Amino acid sequence: MKHSIPFLCFRLLTGFSAALVPTMVCVLMGYLLMRGVPVMGKELLFGSTPPLDAVFGRAPVWDGLWPACVGTFWLVVLTMLLALFPGTGCGIFLAELASPLQKKILGAAVDMLAGMPSIVMGLFGFMLILLLRHTILPDANTGLLLAAGCLALLVLPVLAASTREAMNAVPRSLRLAAAASGFSRSQALFHLFLPAAAKGILGGVVLAVGRAAEDTAVILFTGVVANAGLPAGLFGKFEALSFDIYYVSSQYQNQQELLHGFGAAALLLGISCLLLAIARLLEGSFRRKWQGKA
Amino acid sequence: MRNAVESFRPERRNGEAGLAVIHVSVALAAAGMVLLFLMVVAFALPAFLQGGGGGPFSWSWAPGKGEFGILPMVAGSVLMAVLAVVSGWTLGLCLCCWLLAPDRSGKGDVLLRNLVGGMVRVMTAIPTVVYGFAAVFLLTPVIRSGLGGSGFSWLTAAIMLSLLILPTVVLVLQAGLGPRLESVRLAGAAAGLTRLELLWYLVLPSSRSTLISAAVLGFGRAVGDTMLPLMLAGNAPVMPETLLSSLRTLTAHMALVTSNEVGGAAYDSLFMAGLFLLLINGIVSLAIRRMGGRS
């Protein structure tokens, strides 16, 4: 077959982009890891503070990533506490209980929230504080809980979508069996379908943790700072890994700080990839469990 | 069989509390969403109605002189996203076709394709701030010494943004084009066409809505991203003249205004920017729903 010029160009381009994209990603991430991995170690996390003292909070860490890691950890934990219930609830509702109209409206709202720029969530938190200051709480300020609340809005659609998909993947035969054995709707839902979909939902939760850990734009508005030490409480300022990386890239003073930035970036990259891998494993085992039984 | 399941109506006796819990959770989530929309609109409305000189609808951002126009940033956001989508979508389309169309069926070839496909999935997990960090120290010096300028430019940020949206584009296209390719695969093989030829002559011309929704979804992500423009685009609040000049997007503008705490009218511009982003996102997600191409 004789080919037209556009097709030949297209064929060339496919090969070209297949070479270009992996190369770019590998070069960028390889460079990051090359500079970041060698600084990994006790020094990076704890600086000159003895690790045990730092872990138990007996001594402050000035030149390490420990406070940022702890900040990110609490941020993620709080976010998931706040988002888990509404997020999975939404997903279950959409998959099992909603009427077609409710499905349409709520589904559209969740989709819209999913595409919402994360900075808008941050702005929302910022507005909330402004509003509180002007009304009932004159000394309200941004802090950990507010940031977690806004992040919860950000990960809510992730949770809802993955829960909905997991519930939809529960095989029809199981539903039929539940109906045949006279389960009431909620009995079937809570004792059969939810346990059956648990692994899929868990995969979504891990993905959501990843989203919450990596996001920077939201916390930029809601109380992250560069030098807070360990978070002082629910309403205190905090540090976070992702923000530290941004801060170093724009404000670093010396080579030491720069290396810390590379270390932090490599660490965050590692955490994100690890979370993705766990989510994929969970999803894979969920699919395998129900494969061919629909 | 289907009817048996659909007509399954529970007796109202056991575990009604459990269902109520789910309704409560939905109400919570809905309340959060409604509050978000209301808040952003309510805060932006005064600035929107005020208009006039020095308000957000002008082309000059000079807080010192009392000018708080955000139109340069709106234009900046659109320009940035368009460039990122043009390159990201083209690359994504070509990459997706490459993934879908193995020329030779050797073992190494399949392995290579699986490897690249896996890498695209890993790319979805790379935090934007990590992309930005790597690009600040690797890409900007290259652009600075290769093409001139400061290195912090429209082009730099757009290159990274196109990498950022690439996995989204590839996954949407793969989900749309893959099944369609499979359905004509056998007939094509009988006619002696390779997969790539099938894609080019048959599948691509007939999947316009998939192609468009991938582009629109990519556009939405590119407009909404904060960290890459903030770290890489230089943030000068003016219209860019060339690919190498610096520009400021709405998202970066918002981050800068809050961190500098100018207060007053500067905050108005912040709220307007938020409303703009909300509206752009709303249009994008409506467009995608209309086309039904959401993955």
Side-chain angles (χ1 to χ4, degrees), chain B residues 101-295:
Chain B
D103 291 326
R104 301 171 300 273
S105 50
K107 215 165 202 171
D109 199 47
V110 173
L111 190 71
L112 190 64
R113 266 161 237 262
N114 283 344
L115 208 64
V116 174
M119 178 175 256
V120 170
R121 283 179 193 282
V122 171
M123 280 171 77
T124 58
I126 299 179
T128 53
V129 68
V130 171
Y131 266 136
F133 190 84
V136 165
F137 296 103
L138 203 60
L139 188 62
T140 34
V142 170
I143 300 253
R144 191 186 309 140
S145 55
L147 299 168
S150 69
F152 293 94
S153 63
W154 184 12
L155 181 67
T156 321
I159 290 175
M160 292 314 291
L161 269 179
S162 57
L163 268 191
L164 179 77
I165 65 173
L166 191 112
T168 315
V169 172
V170 170
L171 294 180
V172 169
L173 287 178
Q174 226 170 8
L177 301 183
R180 220 165 286 159
L181 177 64
E182 276 317 303
S183 70
V184 293
R185 172 88 194 94
L186 215 53
L193 292 171
T194 66
R195 287 174 194 248
L196 204 61
E197 289 159 352
L198 280 174
L199 273 171
W200 178 250
Y201 291 110
L202 276 174
V203 178
L204 289 186
S206 67
S207 10
R208 246 181 70 193
S209 74
T210 308
L211 296 180
I212 295 175
S213 57
V216 173
L217 208 60
F219 183 83
R221 284 216 61 189
V223 165
D225 188 69
T226 310
M227 298 321 286
L228 289 176
L230 182 63
M231 292 167 93
L232 298 172
N235 297 321
V238 288
M239 286 289 286
E241 278 151 14
T242 65
L243 277 180
L244 292 174
S245 39
S246 126
L247 64 66
R248 188 189 279 197
T249 63
L250 280 174
T251 48
H253 177 68
M254 291 164 77
L256 289 169
V257 167
T258 33
S259 62
N260 293 338
E261 296 257 358
V262 205
Y267 278 173
D268 276 350
S269 82
L270 178 68
F271 304 145
M272 277 310 298
L275 185 65
F276 267 118
L277 284 178
L278 194 79
L279 290 180
I280 292 174
N281 168 252
I283 295 167
V284 163
S285 101
L286 273 183
I288 290 170
R289 266 193 105 71
R290 190 51 68 76
M291 286 182 289
R294 183 134 216 154
S295 66

Side-chain angles (χ1 to χ4, degrees), chain A residues 3 17 89 111 115 128 185-186, chain B residues 10 14-15 39 94 197 281 289:
Chain A
H3 290 304
S17 59
D111 274 358
L128 209 60
R185 180 145 70 165
S186 64
Chain B
N14 279 325
M39 200 84 141
C94 291
E197 289 159 352
N281 168 252
R289 266 193 105 71

Side-chain angles (χ1 to χ4, degrees), chain A residues 1-4 6-7 10-11 13-29 31-32 35 85-90 92-94 97 102-121 123-124 126-131 153 156 165 172-173 175-176 178-179 182-190 193-194 214 216-217 220-221 241-243 245-246 248-249 252 258 260-262 264-266 268-269 272-273 276 280, chain B residues 1-2 4-6 8-11 13-19 21-26 28-30 32-33 35-37 39-41 43-44 90-95 97-98 103 116 119-131 133-139 159-160 163 166 192-194 196-201 204 220-221 223-227 230-231 250-252 254-256 258 261 267 270-271 273-275 277-278 281-283 285-286 289 294-295:
Chain A
M1 181 169 173
K2 198 171 157 0
H3 290 304
S4 61
F7 175 76
F10 172 66
R11 193 161 72 184
L13 262 179
T14 58
F16 170 71
S17 59
L20 179 70
V21 173
T23 313
M24 273 184 82
V25 175
C26 284
V27 167
L28 279 170
M29 296 304 127
Y31 173 71
L32 194 74
R35 300 206 47 184
F85 176 58
T88 46
C90 252
I92 295 170
F93 182 77
L94 279 172
L97 307 170
Q102 284 168 328
K103 239 179 215 171
K104 206 172 157 191
I105 296 174
L106 194 64
V110 169
D111 274 358
M112 195 174 269
L113 199 65
M116 191 78 72
S118 58
I119 198 160
V120 174
M121 318 285 181
L123 182 68
F124 168 66
F126 188 70
M127 287 168 165
L128 209 60
I129 285 298
L130 285 185
L131 189 71
L153 268 181
L156 194 138
E165 259 167 49
R172 192 156 269 282
S173 52
R175 293 170 189 278
L176 201 64
F183 279 73
S184 81
R185 180 145 70 165
S186 64
Q187 279 170 339
L189 180 58
F190 288 105
F193 305 158
L194 258 184
E214 67 148 311
T216 323
L220 211 58
F221 275 65
L241 265 183
S242 53
F243 181 74
I245 297 169
Y246 164 63
V248 167
S249 81
Y252 70 97
L258 185 60
H260 267 210
F262 275 106
L268 188 63
L269 182 66
S272 303
C273 289
L276 180 79
R280 302 279 304 171
Chain B
M1 186 139 156
R2 190 183 177 84
V5 179
E6 240 72 83
F8 163 36
R9 288 282 173 270
E11 305 105 290
R13 40 164 209 216
N14 279 325
E16 281 305 300
L19 296 186
V21 165
I22 290 194
H23 281 114
V24 169
S25 73
V26 172
L28 260 177
M33 289 188 242
L35 195 62
L36 173 79
F37 282 94
M39 200 84 141
V40 173
V41 172
F43 267 80
T90 317
L91 274 180
L93 179 63
C94 291
L95 187 60
C97 290
W98 184 80
D103 291 326
V116 174
M119 178 175 256
V120 170
R121 283 179 193 282
V122 171
M123 280 171 77
T124 58
I126 299 179
T128 53
V129 68
V130 171
Y131 266 136
F133 190 84
V136 165
F137 296 103
L138 203 60
L139 188 62
I159 290 175
M160 292 314 291
L163 268 191
L166 191 112
L193 292 171
T194 66
L196 204 61
E197 289 159 352
L198 280 174
L199 273 171
W200 178 250
Y201 291 110
L204 289 186
R221 284 216 61 189
V223 165
D225 188 69
T226 310
M227 298 321 286
L230 182 63
M231 292 167 93
L250 280 174
T251 48
M254 291 164 77
L256 289 169
T258 33
E261 296 257 358
Y267 278 173
L270 178 68
F271 304 145
L275 185 65
L277 284 178
L278 194 79
N281 168 252
I283 295 167
S285 101
L286 273 183
R289 266 193 105 71
R294 183 134 216 154
S295 66

Side-chain angles (χ1 to χ4, degrees), chain A residues 35 39 43-48 62-65 248 252-264, chain B residues 133:
Chain A
R35 300 206 47 184
V39 295
E43 301 281 291
L44 180 71
L45 277 182
F46 302 110
S48 48
W62 297 116
D63 44 1
L65 290 173
V248 167
Y252 70 97
Q253 313 270 337
N254 50 41
Q255 208 57 27
Q256 170 99 33
E257 281 184 32
L258 185 60
L259 281 180
H260 267 210
F262 275 106
Chain B
F133 190 84

Side-chain angles (χ1 to χ4, degrees), chain A residues 72-85:
Chain A
T72 295
F73 174 75
W74 282 117
L75 195 63
V76 168
V77 168
L78 277 176
T79 303
M80 292 323 289
L81 280 181
L82 288 172
L84 206 52
F85 176 58

